[in-house]
């Protein structure tokens, strides 16, 4: 679905990608450098030109990026430093891949699923199991793990560099005042 936020409109949506019937389930989509749109589906990774001359509502505009079994079941897509990164959860194990003319397995997380993958301060952030990992230049540069958030679900850094973690057990947690603490809005704790 393409959103026009200022106008509160949905001008387009894209279905039957590449002529695949039954509207494949889409797990993630990105537009790196604004020239190609990548979409992960149950059948694999699809791509289309992203410009004013391409009709993305036309199924013929879409094709499979690369036919490779690693592309099935991709849950997360990100683009960093001119490379495409893919996160996949299969059989209870998370895996991180990088595309550099072929798919390179960078890390596996036995018994742990990737819960989120995003870009934070020019680093790839992975929320995996009970920790958050930050990657830069294909190396893990930091692991963030604390008893304050035993099962993180989401992660971001604010402009000052403070960490914000969402967890089911404790809600919103941050280290913006030095140590990790919970932040709750005024009002009732639950419905």
């Amino acid at each position: 679905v393409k959103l026009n936020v200022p106008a509160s409109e949905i001008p387009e949506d894209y279905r039957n990608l590449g002529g695949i019937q039954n509207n494949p389930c889409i797990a993630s989509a990105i537009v790196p450098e604004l020239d190609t749109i990548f979409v992960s589906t149950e059948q694999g990774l699809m791509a289309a030109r992203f410009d004013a001359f391409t009709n993305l509502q036309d199924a013929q505009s879409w094709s499979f990026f690369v036919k490779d079994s690693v592309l099935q079941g991709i849950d997360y897509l990100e683009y960093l430093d001119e490379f495409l990164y893919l996160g996949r959860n299969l059989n209870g194990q998370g895996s991180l891949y990088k595309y550099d003319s072929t798919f390179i397995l960078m890390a596996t997380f036995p018994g742990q699923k990737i819960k989120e993958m995003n870009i934070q301060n020019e680093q790839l952030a992975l929320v995996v199991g009970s920790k958050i990992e930050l990657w830069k230049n294909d190396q893990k540069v930091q692991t963030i793990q604390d008893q304050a958030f035993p099962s993180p679900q989401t992660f971001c850094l604010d402009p000052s560099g403070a960490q914000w973690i969402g967890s089911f057990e404790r809600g919103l947690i941050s280290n913006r005042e030095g140590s990790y603490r919970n932040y709750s809005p005024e009002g009732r704790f639950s419905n």
Side-chain angles (χ1 to χ4, degrees), residues 14 18-19 24-25 33 48 52 72 84 86 97 99 109 124 127 131 140 146 159 185:
Y14 314 129
C25 182
E33 296 188 359
Q72 294 180 342
L84 188 63
L86 302 94
Y97 295 88
Y99 182 75
F109 306 97
L124 184 67
V127 179
K131 64 185 180 270
K140 181 173 49 173
D146 196 275

Side-chain angles (χ1 to χ4, degrees), residues 85-101:
Y85 291 89
L86 302 94
R88 178 174 84 166
N89 292 313
L90 189 63
N91 300 324
Q93 173 176 291
S95 301
L96 174 64
Y97 295 88
K98 173 184 175 180
Y99 182 75
D100 185 6
S101 71

Side-chain angles (χ1 to χ4, degrees), residues 12-85:
E12 297 177 0
D13 63 24
Y14 314 129
R15 303 168 189 253
N16 299 327
L17 306 181
I20 297 172
Q21 298 303 314
N22 302 325
N23 294 323
C25 182
I26 295 172
S28 188
I30 61 168
V31 183
E33 296 188 359
L34 301 176
D35 65 353
T36 304
I37 182 169
F38 291 97
V39 176
S40 66
T41 73
E42 296 162 323
Q43 288 86 4
L45 186 63
M46 304 200 73
R49 278 297 290 157
F50 193 72
D51 60 31
F53 307 106
T54 304
N55 178 4
L56 295 177
Q57 293 177 311
D58 179 1
Q60 300 301 313
S61 296
W62 295 86
S63 62
F64 282 98
F65 179 59
V66 176
K67 290 278 190 179
D68 192 320
S69 62
V70 77
L71 299 175
Q72 294 180 342
I74 296 297
D75 298 299
Y76 302 99
L77 297 172
E78 285 299 340
Y79 185 77
L80 178 65
D81 297 331
E82 300 184 16
F83 292 103
L84 188 63
Y85 291 89

Side-chain angles (χ1 to χ4, degrees), residues 36-189:
T36 304
I37 182 169
F38 291 97
V39 176
S40 66
T41 73
E42 296 162 323
Q43 288 86 4
L45 186 63
M46 304 200 73
R49 278 297 290 157
F50 193 72
D51 60 31
F53 307 106
T54 304
N55 178 4
L56 295 177
Q57 293 177 311
D58 179 1
Q60 300 301 313
S61 296
W62 295 86
S63 62
F64 282 98
F65 179 59
V66 176
K67 290 278 190 179
D68 192 320
S69 62
V70 77
L71 299 175
Q72 294 180 342
I74 296 297
D75 298 299
Y76 302 99
L77 297 172
E78 285 299 340
Y79 185 77
L80 178 65
D81 297 331
E82 300 184 16
F83 292 103
L84 188 63
Y85 291 89
L86 302 94
R88 178 174 84 166
N89 292 313
L90 189 63
N91 300 324
Q93 173 176 291
S95 301
L96 174 64
Y97 295 88
K98 173 184 175 180
Y99 182 75
D100 185 6
S101 71
T102 186
F103 287 92
I104 302 162
L105 178 63
M106 295 184 54
T108 58
F109 306 97
Q112 299 178 343
K113 287 184 161 186
I114 298 173
K115 301 175 194 173
E116 182 180 67
M117 188 167 103
N118 61 50
I119 305 299
Q120 298 291 322
N121 290 356
E122 312 256 338
Q123 299 173 100
L124 184 67
L126 298 170
V127 179
V128 180
S130 63
K131 64 185 180 270
I132 296 137
E133 292 187 359
L134 298 177
W135 289 69
K136 182 70 178 167
N137 299 324
D138 299 341
Q139 299 291 318
K140 181 173 49 173
V141 294
Q142 185 177 6
T143 299
I144 302 165
Q145 192 169 19
D146 196 275
Q147 293 176 350
F149 48 90
S151 181
Q153 301 298 309
T154 187
F155 171 81
C156 75
L157 294 170
D158 69 19
S160 72
Q163 302 166 3
W164 291 87
I165 298 116
S167 99
F168 287 131
E169 299 86 1
R170 301 230 10 242
L172 185 61
I173 299 158
S174 179
N175 66 347
R176 76 178 184 148
E177 295 176 16
S179 60
Y180 291 108
R181 75 174 203 86
N182 176 266
Y183 290 84
S184 298
E186 299 283 329
R188 296 171 52 168
F189 182 73

